[in-house]
Amino acid sequence: LLQSLRVRDVFESERKITHVRVNTPLAEVVQTIARTHDDYYPVLDDDDRFVGIFSAHDVREFTFDEAVHQLAIAAL
């Protein structure tokens, strides 16, 4: 069944996808997650190339660890 589906058949083109840049500090990533409530966030480099993805779950353990907020960035 899934073999016959194409991305364009299920992609919601009107839906805004929230992404982050590779150099985005963790503090800003946490704020973005709280503001958007999305589950997954694509990571883009300075040339707007997709370089990775992370989930809100991946960040959860650092949400309240403010000591790490300015040290960690979204880079892979």
Coordinates of all heavy atoms in Angstrom, one line a residue:
L1 N 0.8 -1.2 0.0 CA 0.0 0.0 0.0 C 0.9 1.3 0.0 O 0.6 2.2 -0.8 CB -0.9 0.0 1.2 CG -1.8 1.2 1.4 CD1 -2.8 1.3 0.2 CD2 -2.5 1.2 2.7
L2 N 1.9 1.3 0.9 CA 2.7 2.5 0.9 C 3.6 2.7 -0.3 O 4.0 3.8 -0.6 CB 3.6 2.5 2.2 CG 2.8 2.6 3.5 CD1 3.8 2.5 4.7 CD2 2.0 3.8 3.6
Q3 N 3.9 1.6 -1.0 CA 4.7 1.8 -2.2 C 4.1 2.7 -3.2 O 4.8 3.3 -4.0 CB 5.0 0.4 -2.8 CG 6.0 -0.4 -1.9 CD 6.2 -1.8 -2.6 OE1 5.5 -2.3 -3.4 NE2 7.3 -2.4 -2.1
S4 N 2.8 2.7 -3.3 CA 2.1 3.5 -4.3 C 2.0 5.0 -3.9 O 1.6 5.8 -4.7 CB 0.7 2.9 -4.6 OG -0.1 3.0 -3.4
L5 N 2.3 5.3 -2.6 CA 2.2 6.7 -2.2 C 3.4 7.5 -2.5 O 4.5 7.0 -2.5 CB 2.0 6.8 -0.7 CG 0.6 6.4 -0.1 CD1 0.6 6.4 1.4 CD2 -0.5 7.3 -0.7
R6 N 3.2 8.8 -2.8 CA 4.3 9.7 -3.1 C 4.2 10.8 -2.0 O 3.1 11.1 -1.5 CB 4.2 10.3 -4.5 CG 4.2 9.3 -5.6 CD 4.5 9.9 -6.9 NE 4.6 9.0 -8.0 CZ 5.7 8.3 -8.3 NH1 6.8 8.5 -7.6 NH2 5.7 7.5 -9.3
V7 N 5.3 11.4 -1.7 CA 5.3 12.5 -0.7 C 4.3 13.6 -1.0 O 3.6 14.0 -0.2 CB 6.7 13.1 -0.6 CG1 6.7 14.3 0.3 CG2 7.7 12.1 -0.1
R8 N 4.2 14.0 -2.3 CA 3.2 15.0 -2.7 C 1.8 14.6 -2.4 O 0.9 15.5 -2.2 CB 3.4 15.4 -4.1 CG 3.0 14.3 -5.1 CD 3.0 14.8 -6.5 NE 2.7 13.7 -7.4 CZ 3.6 13.2 -8.3 NH1 4.8 13.7 -8.4 NH2 3.2 12.2 -9.0
D9 N 1.5 13.3 -2.3 CA 0.2 12.9 -1.9 C -0.2 13.1 -0.5 O -1.4 13.2 -0.2 CB 0.0 11.4 -2.3 CG 0.2 11.1 -3.7 OD1 -0.1 12.0 -4.6 OD2 0.6 9.9 -4.0
V10 N 0.8 13.2 0.4 CA 0.5 13.3 1.8 C 1.0 14.6 2.4 O 0.7 14.9 3.6 CB 1.0 12.1 2.6 CG1 0.2 10.9 2.2 CG2 2.4 11.9 2.5
F11 N 1.9 15.3 1.7 CA 2.6 16.5 2.2 C 1.6 17.6 2.4 O 0.8 17.9 1.4 CB 3.7 16.9 1.3 CG 4.5 18.1 1.8 CD1 5.3 18.0 2.9 CD2 4.4 19.3 1.1 CE1 5.9 19.2 3.4 CE2 5.0 20.4 1.6 CZ 5.8 20.3 2.7
E12 N 1.6 18.3 3.5 CA 0.7 19.4 3.7 C 1.4 20.7 3.4 O 2.1 21.2 4.2 CB 0.2 19.4 5.2 CG -0.5 18.2 5.6 CD -0.8 18.2 7.1 OE1 -0.6 19.2 7.8 OE2 -1.2 17.1 7.6
S13 N 1.3 21.1 2.2 CA 2.1 22.3 1.7 C 1.8 23.6 2.4 O 2.7 24.5 2.4 CB 2.0 22.4 0.2 OG 0.6 22.7 -0.1
E14 N 0.6 23.7 3.0 CA 0.3 24.9 3.7 C 0.8 25.0 5.1 O 0.9 26.0 5.7 CB -1.2 25.2 3.7 CG -2.0 24.2 4.5 CD -2.3 22.9 3.7 OE1 -2.0 22.7 2.5 OE2 -2.8 21.9 4.4
R15 N 1.3 23.8 5.6 CA 1.8 23.8 6.9 C 3.2 24.3 7.0 O 4.1 24.0 6.2 CB 1.9 22.3 7.4 CG 2.3 22.2 8.8 CD 2.1 20.8 9.4 NE 2.4 20.7 10.7 CZ 3.5 20.1 11.2 NH1 4.4 19.5 10.4 NH2 3.8 20.1 12.5
K16 N 3.5 25.3 7.9 CA 4.8 25.9 8.1 C 5.7 24.9 8.9 O 5.3 24.4 10.0 CB 4.7 27.2 8.8 CG 6.0 27.9 9.0 CD 5.8 29.2 9.7 CE 7.1 30.0 9.8 NZ 7.9 29.5 10.9
I17 N 6.8 24.7 8.4 CA 7.8 23.8 9.0 C 8.8 24.6 9.8 O 9.5 25.5 9.2 CB 8.5 22.9 8.0 CG1 7.5 21.9 7.4 CG2 9.6 22.1 8.7 CD1 8.0 21.1 6.3
T18 N 8.9 24.4 11.1 CA 9.9 25.2 11.9 C 11.2 24.5 11.8 O 11.3 23.3 12.1 CB 9.4 25.3 13.3 OG1 8.1 25.9 13.4 CG2 10.3 26.1 14.2
H19 N 12.2 25.2 11.4 CA 13.6 24.7 11.4 C 14.5 25.5 12.3 O 14.1 26.6 12.7 CB 14.1 24.7 10.0 CG 14.3 26.0 9.4 ND1 13.3 26.7 8.8 CD2 15.4 26.9 9.4 CE1 13.8 27.9 8.4 NE2 15.0 28.0 8.8
V20 N 15.7 25.0 12.5 CA 16.7 25.7 13.3 C 18.0 25.7 12.5 O 18.2 24.8 11.7 CB 16.9 25.2 14.7 CG1 15.6 25.3 15.6 CG2 17.4 23.7 14.7
R21 N 18.8 26.6 12.8 CA 20.1 26.7 12.1 C 21.2 25.9 13.0 O 21.0 25.7 14.2 CB 20.6 28.1 12.0 CG 19.7 29.0 11.2 CD 20.0 28.8 9.8 NE 19.1 29.5 8.9 CZ 18.9 29.3 7.7 NH1 19.7 28.4 7.1 NH2 18.1 30.0 7.0
V22 N 22.2 25.5 12.3 CA 23.2 24.7 13.0 C 23.9 25.4 14.2 O 24.3 24.7 15.2 CB 24.4 24.2 12.1 CG1 23.8 23.2 11.1 CG2 25.0 25.4 11.4
N23 N 23.9 26.7 14.2 CA 24.6 27.4 15.3 C 23.6 28.0 16.3 O 23.9 28.8 17.1 CB 25.4 28.6 14.7 CG 24.6 29.5 13.9 OD1 23.5 29.3 13.5 ND2 25.2 30.6 13.5
T24 N 22.3 27.5 16.3 CA 21.3 27.9 17.2 C 21.6 27.4 18.6 O 21.8 26.2 18.8 CB 19.9 27.4 16.8 OG1 19.7 27.9 15.5 CG2 18.8 27.9 17.7
P25 N 21.7 28.3 19.6 CA 22.0 27.9 21.0 C 20.8 27.1 21.6 O 19.7 27.3 21.2 CB 22.2 29.2 21.8 CG 22.3 30.3 20.8 CD 21.7 29.8 19.5
L26 N 21.2 26.2 22.5 CA 20.2 25.4 23.1 C 19.1 26.2 23.7 O 17.9 25.8 23.7 CB 20.8 24.4 24.1 CG 19.8 23.5 24.8 CD1 19.1 22.6 23.9 CD2 20.6 22.7 25.9
A27 N 19.4 27.3 24.3 CA 18.4 28.2 25.0 C 17.3 28.6 24.0 O 16.1 28.5 24.2 CB 19.0 29.4 25.6
E28 N 17.7 28.9 22.8 CA 16.8 29.3 21.7 C 16.0 28.1 21.2 O 14.8 28.2 20.9 CB 17.5 30.0 20.6 CG 16.6 30.6 19.5 CD 17.4 31.4 18.5 OE1 18.4 31.9 18.8 OE2 16.9 31.4 17.3
V29 N 16.7 26.9 21.1 CA 16.0 25.7 20.7 C 14.9 25.4 21.7 O 13.8 25.0 21.2 CB 17.0 24.5 20.6 CG1 16.3 23.2 20.4 CG2 18.0 24.7 19.4
V30 N 15.2 25.5 23.0 CA 14.1 25.2 24.0 C 13.0 26.1 23.8 O 11.8 25.7 23.9 CB 14.8 25.3 25.4 CG1 13.7 25.2 26.5 CG2 15.7 24.1 25.6
Q31 N 13.2 27.4 23.6 CA 12.2 28.4 23.4 C 11.4 28.1 22.2 O 10.1 28.2 22.2 CB 12.7 29.8 23.3 CG 13.3 30.3 24.6 CD 14.1 31.6 24.4 OE1 14.2 32.1 23.3 NE2 14.5 32.2 25.5
T32 N 12.0 27.7 21.1 CA 11.3 27.3 19.9 C 10.4 26.1 20.1 O 9.2 26.1 19.6 CB 12.3 27.0 18.7 OG1 13.1 28.1 18.5 CG2 11.6 26.6 17.5
I33 N 10.9 25.1 20.8 CA 10.0 23.9 21.1 C 8.8 24.3 21.9 O 7.7 23.9 21.6 CB 10.9 22.9 21.8 CG1 11.9 22.3 20.9 CG2 10.0 21.8 22.4 CD1 12.9 21.4 21.5
A34 N 9.0 25.2 22.9 CA 7.9 25.6 23.7 C 6.9 26.4 23.0 O 5.7 26.4 23.2 CB 8.4 26.4 24.9
R35 N 7.4 27.2 22.0 CA 6.5 28.1 21.2 C 5.7 27.4 20.2 O 4.6 27.7 19.9 CB 7.3 29.2 20.6 CG 6.6 30.3 19.9 CD 7.5 31.3 19.2 NE 8.2 30.8 18.1 CZ 9.5 30.6 18.1 NH1 10.2 30.8 19.2 NH2 10.1 30.1 17.0
T36 N 6.3 26.4 19.5 CA 5.7 25.8 18.4 C 5.0 24.5 18.7 O 4.1 24.1 18.0 CB 6.8 25.5 17.3 OG1 7.7 24.5 17.8 CG2 7.5 26.7 16.8
H37 N 5.4 23.7 19.7 CA 4.9 22.4 20.0 C 5.0 21.4 18.9 O 4.2 20.5 18.9 CB 3.4 22.6 20.5 CG 3.2 23.5 21.6 ND1 3.6 23.2 22.9 CD2 2.7 24.8 21.7 CE1 3.3 24.3 23.7 NE2 2.8 25.2 23.0
D38 N 5.9 21.6 18.0 CA 6.1 20.6 17.0 C 6.9 19.4 17.6 O 7.4 19.5 18.7 CB 7.0 21.1 15.8 CG 6.2 22.1 15.0 OD1 4.9 22.1 15.0 OD2 6.8 23.0 14.3
D39 N 7.0 18.3 16.9 CA 7.7 17.1 17.4 C 9.1 17.0 16.9 O 10.0 16.5 17.5 CB 6.9 15.8 17.1 CG 5.6 15.8 17.9 OD1 5.6 16.1 19.1 OD2 4.6 15.3 17.3
Y40 N 9.3 17.4 15.6 CA 10.6 17.3 14.9 C 11.0 18.6 14.3 O 10.1 19.4 13.8 CB 10.5 16.2 13.8 CG 10.2 14.8 14.4 CD1 8.9 14.3 14.5 CD2 11.3 14.1 14.9 CE1 8.7 13.1 15.1 CE2 11.1 12.9 15.5 CZ 9.8 12.4 15.6 OH 9.5 11.1 16.2
Y41 N 12.3 18.8 14.3 CA 12.8 20.1 13.8 C 14.0 19.8 12.9 O 15.1 19.3 13.3 CB 13.3 21.0 15.0 CG 12.2 21.3 15.9 CD1 11.8 20.4 16.9 CD2 11.5 22.5 15.8 CE1 10.7 20.7 17.8 CE2 10.4 22.8 16.6 CZ 10.0 21.9 17.6 OH 9.0 22.1 18.4
P42 N 13.9 20.2 11.6 CA 15.0 20.0 10.7 C 16.1 21.1 11.1 O 15.8 22.2 11.5 CB 14.4 20.4 9.3 CG 12.9 20.4 9.5 CD 12.7 20.6 10.9
V43 N 17.3 20.7 10.9 CA 18.5 21.6 11.1 C 19.1 21.9 9.7 O 19.4 21.0 8.9 CB 19.5 20.9 12.0 CG1 20.7 21.8 12.2 CG2 18.9 20.4 13.3
L44 N 19.2 23.2 9.5 CA 19.8 23.7 8.2 C 21.1 24.4 8.5 O 21.3 25.1 9.5 CB 18.8 24.7 7.6 CG 17.3 24.3 7.4 CD1 16.5 25.4 6.8 CD2 17.3 23.0 6.5
D45 N 22.0 24.3 7.5 CA 23.2 25.0 7.5 C 23.1 26.4 7.0 O 22.0 26.9 6.7 CB 24.4 24.3 6.9 CG 24.2 24.2 5.3 OD1 23.4 24.9 4.7 OD2 25.0 23.4 4.7
D46 N 24.2 27.2 6.9 CA 24.1 28.6 6.4 C 23.7 28.7 5.0 O 23.3 29.8 4.5 CB 25.4 29.3 6.7 CG 25.7 29.5 8.2 OD1 24.7 29.5 9.0 OD2 26.9 29.5 8.5
D47 N 23.7 27.6 4.2 CA 23.3 27.6 2.8 C 21.9 27.0 2.6 O 21.6 26.6 1.5 CB 24.3 26.8 2.0 CG 25.7 27.5 1.9 OD1 25.7 28.8 1.9 OD2 26.7 26.8 2.0
D48 N 21.2 26.9 3.7 CA 19.8 26.4 3.7 C 19.8 24.9 3.3 O 18.8 24.4 2.9 CB 18.9 27.2 2.9 CG 18.5 28.5 3.5 OD1 18.6 28.6 4.7 OD2 18.2 29.4 2.7
R49 N 20.9 24.2 3.5 CA 20.9 22.7 3.2 C 20.5 22.0 4.5 O 20.9 22.3 5.6 CB 22.3 22.3 2.8 CG 22.6 22.8 1.4 CD 24.0 22.3 1.0 NE 25.0 22.8 2.0 CZ 26.2 23.1 1.7 NH1 26.7 22.9 0.5 NH2 27.0 23.6 2.6
F50 N 19.7 21.0 4.3 CA 19.3 20.1 5.4 C 20.5 19.3 5.8 O 21.2 18.6 5.0 CB 18.2 19.1 4.9 CG 17.8 18.1 5.9 CD1 16.9 18.4 6.9 CD2 18.3 16.8 5.8 CE1 16.6 17.4 7.8 CE2 17.9 15.8 6.7 CZ 17.1 16.1 7.7
V51 N 20.8 19.4 7.2 CA 22.0 18.6 7.7 C 21.6 17.7 8.8 O 22.5 16.9 9.3 CB 23.1 19.6 8.2 CG1 23.7 20.4 7.0 CG2 22.6 20.5 9.2
G52 N 20.4 17.7 9.2 CA 20.0 16.8 10.3 C 18.6 17.1 10.8 O 17.9 18.0 10.3
I53 N 18.2 16.4 11.8 CA 16.9 16.6 12.4 C 17.0 16.1 13.8 O 17.7 15.2 14.2 CB 15.8 15.8 11.6 CG1 14.4 16.3 12.0 CG2 16.0 14.3 11.8 CD1 13.3 15.8 11.1
F54 N 16.2 16.8 14.7 CA 16.1 16.3 16.1 C 14.7 16.4 16.5 O 13.8 17.1 15.9 CB 17.0 17.1 17.0 CG 16.6 18.6 17.2 CD1 15.7 19.0 18.1 CD2 17.1 19.5 16.3 CE1 15.3 20.3 18.3 CE2 16.8 20.9 16.5 CZ 15.9 21.2 17.4
S55 N 14.4 15.7 17.6 CA 13.0 15.7 18.1 C 13.0 16.5 19.4 O 14.0 16.7 20.1 CB 12.5 14.3 18.3 OG 13.1 13.7 19.5
A56 N 11.8 16.9 19.8 CA 11.6 17.6 21.1 C 12.0 16.7 22.2 O 12.6 17.1 23.2 CB 10.1 18.0 21.2
H57 N 11.8 15.4 22.0 CA 12.2 14.4 23.0 C 13.7 14.4 23.2 O 14.2 14.2 24.3 CB 11.7 13.0 22.6 CG 12.1 11.9 23.5 ND1 11.5 11.7 24.8 CD2 13.1 11.0 23.4 CE1 12.1 10.7 25.4 NE2 13.0 10.2 24.6
D58 N 14.5 14.6 22.1 CA 15.9 14.6 22.2 C 16.4 15.7 23.1 O 17.5 15.6 23.8 CB 16.6 14.8 20.8 CG 16.3 13.7 19.9 OD1 16.1 12.5 20.3 OD2 16.3 13.9 18.6
V59 N 15.7 16.8 23.2 CA 16.1 18.0 23.9 C 15.5 18.0 25.4 O 16.0 18.7 26.2 CB 15.6 19.3 23.2 CG1 16.0 20.5 23.9 CG2 16.2 19.3 21.8
R60 N 14.5 17.2 25.6 CA 13.8 17.2 26.9 C 14.7 17.2 28.1 O 14.5 17.9 29.0 CB 12.8 16.1 26.9 CG 11.9 16.1 28.1 CD 10.7 15.1 28.1 NE 9.8 15.6 27.0 CZ 9.4 14.8 26.0 NH1 9.7 13.5 26.0 NH2 8.5 15.2 25.1
E61 N 15.7 16.3 28.1 CA 16.5 16.2 29.3 C 17.3 17.4 29.6 O 17.8 17.6 30.8 CB 17.4 15.0 29.2 CG 18.5 15.1 28.2 CD 19.4 13.9 28.1 OE1 20.3 13.7 29.0 OE2 19.1 13.1 27.2
F62 N 17.5 18.4 28.7 CA 18.2 19.6 28.9 C 17.4 20.8 29.1 O 17.9 21.9 29.2 CB 19.2 19.8 27.7 CG 20.1 18.7 27.5 CD1 19.9 17.8 26.4 CD2 21.1 18.4 28.3 CE1 20.7 16.7 26.1 CE2 22.0 17.3 28.1 CZ 21.8 16.5 27.0
T63 N 16.1 20.6 29.0 CA 15.1 21.8 29.1 C 15.4 22.7 30.3 O 15.3 23.9 30.1 CB 13.7 21.2 29.1 OG1 13.5 20.5 27.9 CG2 12.7 22.4 29.1
F64 N 15.6 22.1 31.4 CA 15.8 22.9 32.6 C 17.2 23.0 33.1 O 17.5 23.5 34.2 CB 14.9 22.4 33.8 CG 13.4 22.4 33.4 CD1 12.8 21.2 33.1 CD2 12.7 23.6 33.3 CE1 11.4 21.3 32.7 CE2 11.4 23.7 33.0 CZ 10.7 22.5 32.7
D65 N 18.1 22.6 32.3 CA 19.6 22.7 32.6 C 20.2 23.9 32.0 O 20.8 23.9 31.0 CB 20.3 21.4 32.1 CG 21.7 21.3 32.7 OD1 22.2 22.3 33.2 OD2 22.3 20.2 32.5
E66 N 19.9 25.1 32.6 CA 20.3 26.3 32.0 C 21.8 26.5 31.9 O 22.3 27.3 31.1 CB 19.7 27.5 32.8 CG 18.2 27.5 32.7 CD 17.6 28.7 33.4 OE1 18.3 29.7 33.7 OE2 16.4 28.7 33.6
A67 N 22.6 25.7 32.7 CA 24.1 25.7 32.5 C 24.5 25.3 31.1 O 25.5 25.8 30.6 CB 24.7 24.8 33.6
V68 N 23.7 24.5 30.5 CA 24.1 24.0 29.2 C 23.5 24.9 28.1 O 23.9 24.8 26.9 CB 23.5 22.5 29.0 CG1 24.1 21.9 27.7 CG2 23.8 21.7 30.2
H69 N 22.5 25.7 28.3 CA 21.8 26.4 27.3 C 22.7 27.3 26.4 O 22.4 27.4 25.3 CB 20.7 27.3 28.0 CG 19.5 26.5 28.4 ND1 18.3 27.1 28.7 CD2 19.2 25.2 28.5 CE1 17.4 26.2 29.0 NE2 17.9 25.0 28.8
Q70 N 23.7 27.9 27.0 CA 24.6 28.7 26.1 C 25.8 28.0 25.6 O 26.5 28.5 24.7 CB 25.0 30.0 26.9 CG 23.9 30.9 27.3 CD 23.0 31.3 26.1 OE1 23.5 31.7 25.0 NE2 21.7 31.3 26.3
L71 N 26.0 26.7 26.1 CA 27.1 25.9 25.6 C 26.8 25.1 24.4 O 27.6 24.9 23.5 CB 27.6 25.1 26.8 CG 28.1 25.8 28.0 CD1 28.5 24.8 29.1 CD2 29.3 26.6 27.7
A72 N 25.6 24.5 24.4 CA 25.2 23.6 23.4 C 24.6 24.3 22.2 O 23.9 25.3 22.4 CB 24.3 22.5 23.9
I73 N 24.8 23.8 21.0 CA 24.2 24.4 19.8 C 23.6 23.2 19.0 O 23.8 22.1 19.3 CB 25.2 25.2 18.9 CG1 26.3 24.3 18.4 CG2 25.7 26.4 19.7 CD1 27.2 25.0 17.5
A74 N 22.8 23.6 18.0 CA 22.1 22.6 17.2 C 22.9 21.8 16.2 O 22.5 20.9 15.6 CB 20.9 23.2 16.5
A75 N 24.2 22.1 16.1 CA 25.1 21.5 15.2 C 25.2 20.0 15.5 O 25.1 19.6 16.6 CB 26.5 22.1 15.2
L76 N 25.5 19.2 14.5 CA 25.6 17.8 14.6 C 27.0 17.4 14.9 O 27.9 17.9 14.5 CB 25.1 17.1 13.3 CG 23.7 17.4 13.0 CD1 23.3 16.8 11.6 CD2 22.7 16.9 14.0

